[in-house]
Each structure stands twice: as structure tokens, then as C-alpha cells.
Amino acid sequence: METQSGGLVGLEAAARLFAGEIGLTTRIGGGSFLSPTGAAGRRVFFAGALTSVSSGGGRVFARIADPTGSITVLAGWREAAAASALQAIEAPAFAAVSGALASAGGETVIVPETVVRVERSVRDLWVLRTADLTLSRIERMIDAPADPGTQAAATHYKTTPETLAGLAQMVRAALRTVQDAGTPAAPIDARTVLVALLEEAPGRRAAEEMLLAAVAERGIGRDAAKTALAALMEEGECYMPSTGQVKLI
């Protein structure tokens, strides 16, 4: 399958990981990785809402959010085709990325091989399949602790039953965002953009007016943004610790 980046999807299988698990993945080296649920390999396949794209120092930075969080996609001169593909997509939009995990600036990022813009339905199918695979890995961590891959992950991440319960809860929360079949595809919603912006902000907080202005720049109306922000506060996703400041919990 040819992608928007101009490359072809390779034959090597790519692991599907939610952003929440990618953020916890610290065993990376020698061109491969091992995740907290025991996923291992050289490549990942990720899909979500592209919320921002910027460039600097000869590199392109993008933020892509799924229902469990957001990650950075970092393309340098070696990934010129993928960088061009990212810059060609106008945020907000849904996008799919395949590439390698790497550590950069204290966080785990994806160095992309291929990038393509996709529809909401494709993102939803990715969530369903990724949820299935993640839950299967969690079950293996519980049922087959002596398995070499499982044992290596449990040792490195000091896995506890509470850790696995938290990851399973993350998956269940992601599944609740998938639209029912037959429901018209929705555009990127204000909630997704607000959460992504707050995750990127210093201290996970930002002035309300600046936040609303940033959402407006992504083609979302002010009223929709204010309604989404109010809903996030009611649900306890964020709060206002000081006048005019919004902080993500």
C-alpha cells in the first residue's frame, strides 16, 4: 500500500500500541523496544488525531492524540518524505503513522517511516484492533508469567496487578470512544484538541483565553470549545486552579 509519504508499507509486522502505553515504554535500544504489556519489535503502527505540526532545527514535530493520550512524532532529514507528508496535512485531522520508537527529550516518540491522512472510521478500527491486542497481552502477563517475553517485561517495568488493572482500564476507556456502526463520521472534536493542547502546555496548564484561541486556529468554533471545556471540568478531566488558568489533571 502506498502512503502519503511516498513510501511503501514494509513486510515486517508493526506492533499496535496506545499512546498511554507508548508513554510508559522505556526499554528501547538496538533498534527494538519492549513495552509494559510485552509487545516487542522494531516498528509500531499508530493512529489518532493530528492536532499540531511545527518545524525547527531541521526537524518536523507533530502531536497525535488517541483516546489514551498524545505522543510526539519526530521526523528529521532522514525521514524527509514522512516530514513532508506531516506538513501537508492540515490539523486537526486523523492520521496513521508507522515507524520506530525512540527516546528524545525525556519522552518516547515515534520516528515515522510512513504517514497518511485517514478517516475517523479508520481510527476507530485501529482502536478496536489495538484494544484487542493490548488486552490479549495483558491476559498473557497474568496467565503466562513464565513466558520469556512476559517475564522480561514484568522484570523491567516491575509490573504489579495494579499496573495491569490500570492498563486494562485505559483500554476500556478507549473503547468507549468508538462510534457505533452506522453513525455518521464526526470531525475532530473540541475535547480531543483541548486535552492535546493542555498536555503540550508547560505544567499541563494554560490561560483559558489562549486555549480557546488555539482551538479556534484549528477550525473549531468558540462556543463549541467553551462547551467542551465546561464538560471536561464537570467530568474532572481538568480544573481551574486560578482565575483564567485551566490545568489538566
Side-chain angles (χ1 to χ4, degrees), residues 34 36-38 137 140-142 144-155 159:
L34 178 66
T37 61
R137 294 195 301 268
R140 188 167 64 248
M141 295 283 289
I142 297 171
D147 175 83
T150 295
Q151 194 171 58
T155 300
T159 307

Side-chain angles (χ1 to χ4, degrees), residues 52 55 136:
S52 67
S55 60
S136 294

Side-chain angles (χ1 to χ4, degrees), residues 5-22:
S5 66
L8 297 176
V9 175
L11 296 177
E12 181 185 353
R16 294 175 181 240
L17 301 175
F18 284 115
E21 185 170 2
I22 290 176

